[in-house]
Amino acid sequence: MEKLIVSEDEIVRVCSRLAKEIDSKLDETKNGVPVLVGIMNGALPFLYELVKHIKHPIEIDTIKASSYSGTETTGKVNITKEPDINLEGRDVILVEDIIDTGITMHYLKQFIKDHYKPKNLYVCVLVKRNNLNLKYSEIADFTGLTTDEQRYIVGFGFDYYGLWRNEPYVFVPSQKDIQ
Ligand code: 5GP
């Protein structure tokens, strides 16, 4: 490993704090049981840690979207797995691993609003990268942490060509590990 970005302990602390913020928001909206929609595959470990700390009754679903091919963004969002739950009129919280330029989330939010018509749509992200090319900075409603790290990060759901998701913390791999 080159550099630790988020330790196991910090992940738990961050998820506990985010869950409190989400619970407060749900106290305000009073719109029944919300659906937390994890963006596969990267957000799955984060989703399951996060929901443990939420006090409100919730439902869980997933969507699969991809804008990356390898480590390059294409700026185009493809939906390859739709949510199973009917999201119309519901409070929906999209759960994502990382926002980099914000392009993926921007298009995904629009797609979800247009196709599934939730009443309220929120975004909860584990890591937000301070990116000079950030196009849509307003996009996350709940942010775990921000990082200045510009190198590719892996672990706890974050992959590099499909690998590393099972590591329990988030880190920058050493060059020799990703060649
Ligand atoms: P954006 O559209 O915000 O530029 O990119 C967001 C998507 O890019 C995320 O959903 C994630 O899949 C991928 N991504 C961006 N940066 C990283 C990174 O450092 N590591 C990994 N594993 N994925 C990243």
Side-chain angles (χ1 to χ4, degrees):
M1 173 196 337
E2 186 79 22
K3 182 179 162 194
L4 183 66
I5 303 291
V6 201
S7 70
E8 285 187 74
D9 286 352
E10 198 177 353
I11 287 170
V12 176
R13 278 197 300 275
V14 161
C15 287
S16 160
R17 197 239 313 144
L18 288 171
K20 287 194 183 81
E21 292 178 22
I22 289 171
D23 274 323
S24 311
K25 177 57 76 180
L26 296 173
D27 284 342
E28 282 171 31
T29 66
K30 294 192 171 47
N31 184 36
V33 176
V35 188
L36 271 79
V37 177
I39 302 174
M40 290 168 76
N41 296 318
L44 295 185
F46 174 40
L47 175 70
Y48 285 107
E49 182 58 44
L50 178 67
V51 296
K52 288 194 249 171
H53 303 272
I54 296 178
K55 301 279 183 280
H56 275 79
I58 58 156
E59 285 191 85
I60 294 175
D61 206 336
T62 53
I63 188 168
K64 193 160 189 176
S66 121
S67 77
Y68 263 58
S69 137
T71 60
E72 299 296 319
T73 186
T74 62
K76 211 177 108 208
V77 178
N78 298 315
I79 306 292
T80 54
K81 188 259 165 202
E82 304 208 31
D84 297 313
I85 297 173
N86 181 359
L87 304 179
E88 192 171 340
R90 307 283 298 267
D91 280 359
V92 171
I93 302 173
L94 271 179
V95 179
E96 174 64 309
D97 51 5
I98 184 167
I99 289 180
D100 187 359
T101 61
I103 292 173
T104 309
M105 189 50 82
H106 176 77
Y107 285 108
L108 195 54
K109 273 177 88 171
Q110 205 50 55
F111 181 92
I112 288 174
K113 280 182 192 164
D114 293 347
H115 286 76
Y116 308 124
K117 307 204 174 351
K119 180 169 186 201
N120 297 301
L121 180 61
Y122 304 103
V123 172
C124 178
V125 66
L126 178 59
V127 178
K128 199 163 149 190
R129 175 175 283 136
N130 286 324
N131 183 331
L132 294 175
N133 300 318
L134 189 69
K135 292 197 168 51
Y136 307 102
S137 56
E138 78 299 345
I139 237 151
D141 302 280
F142 310 101
T143 301
L145 55 101
T146 55
T147 181
D148 289 327
E149 180 57 63
Q150 300 300 313
R151 288 172 294 180
Y152 213 67
I153 57 178
V154 298
F156 195 66
F158 294 88
D159 75 314
Y160 181 75
Y161 290 102
L163 298 178
W164 304 91
R165 293 193 201 277
N166 54 318
E167 299 288 341
Y169 40 76
V170 182
F171 62 102
V172 178
S174 56
Q175 275 306 309
K176 70 170 172 43
D177 287 334
I178 57 173
Q179 266 158 18

